[in-house]
Amino acid sequence: MDIKNPLIRPPVADDGYPIYTLIKNSPPLDLNSAYLYLLQSTYFSQTCAVAEVNEAVAGFLSGFIKPTAPDTFFLWQVAVGENLRGQGMARKLLNWILEQPACREVRYLETTITPDNAASWALFQAFARDRQAPLNDEVLFSKQQLGGSHEPEVLVRIGPFNVG
Ligand SMILES: CC(C)(COP(=O)(O)OP(=O)(O)OC[C@H]1O[C@@H](n2cnc3c(N)ncnc32)[C@H](O)[C@@H]1OP(=O)(O)O)[C@@H](O)C(=O)NCCC(=O)NCCS
C-alpha cells in the first residue's frame, strides 16, 4: 500500500495506541489520553477514519455527528504523519468519512482551528473551495476559557455542500 493509495478504513481497538503516538508527534494538536483514542477506535469508529500505509497508521481523523444537528459533522482532530504530508492524505480522509453511512444526512462540516495553524486553515479552505461551499468562522473558545496559555479555538463552519 503506497502513499498515493492509502487504505482508508474505520479504526479498531488495536489502532488506539498507534493513533495516540501519531497525535503525540503532530503538534500543535492537543494530545488526549491513550484511553480516549481507544474509545474513539471502538465506540466511535463509525465517524472516525484511519489511513494505513505499509500496515502502519499514517493518518487519522476523528469526529462525531453533532447531537443537536444531524446534518453537521464535527471534526475533532485530523493528523497525517509528518513525512507523508502535502500529498493529499488529509483530503482523502475527509472525503472518505463524509461518504460513510453515518454521514448520510451531513451537509455541514464544523471544526475548530487555532489562528496560526496554517496547514489546517489551508486544508479546510481547500475543502470549502472544492465543494463550492461557504466558510464562516468565529471564536468558539477564547484563550481565557482554555486556561490562558492555549490559543483561541476558532469555529469553522463549511456548508451547505453536496455529498458524493
Ligand atoms: C493539517 C494536516 C492534517 C494536512 O494534511 P495533508 O495530508 O498534508 O493535507 P493535504 O495534502 O490533503 O492538503 C489539502 C490542502 O491543504 C493544503 N495544505 C496542507 N498543508 C499545507 C501547508 N503546510 N501549507 C499550505 N497549504 C497546505 C494543500 O496544499 C491542499 O490544498 P490545495 O488543494 O489548495 O493544494 C497536516 O499538516 C497535519 O497533520 N498537521 C499537524 C496536525 C494538525 O494541525 N491538524 C489539524 C488540526 S485538527
Side-chain angles (χ1 to χ4, degrees), residues 48-69:
C48 296
V50 151
E52 187 182 310
V53 175
N54 297 328
E55 293 172 29
V57 171
F60 175 64
L61 181 155
S62 59
F64 52 84
I65 304 295
K66 263 175 90 173
T68 51

Side-chain angles (χ1 to χ4, degrees), residues 133-154:
L135 182 157
N136 293 294
D137 62 83
E138 60 176 319
V139 172
L140 180 65
F141 301 127
S142 68
K143 194 168 180 164
Q144 188 187 10
Q145 286 174 315
L146 286 156
S149 57
H150 187 297
E151 288 307 299
E153 291 282 355
V154 179

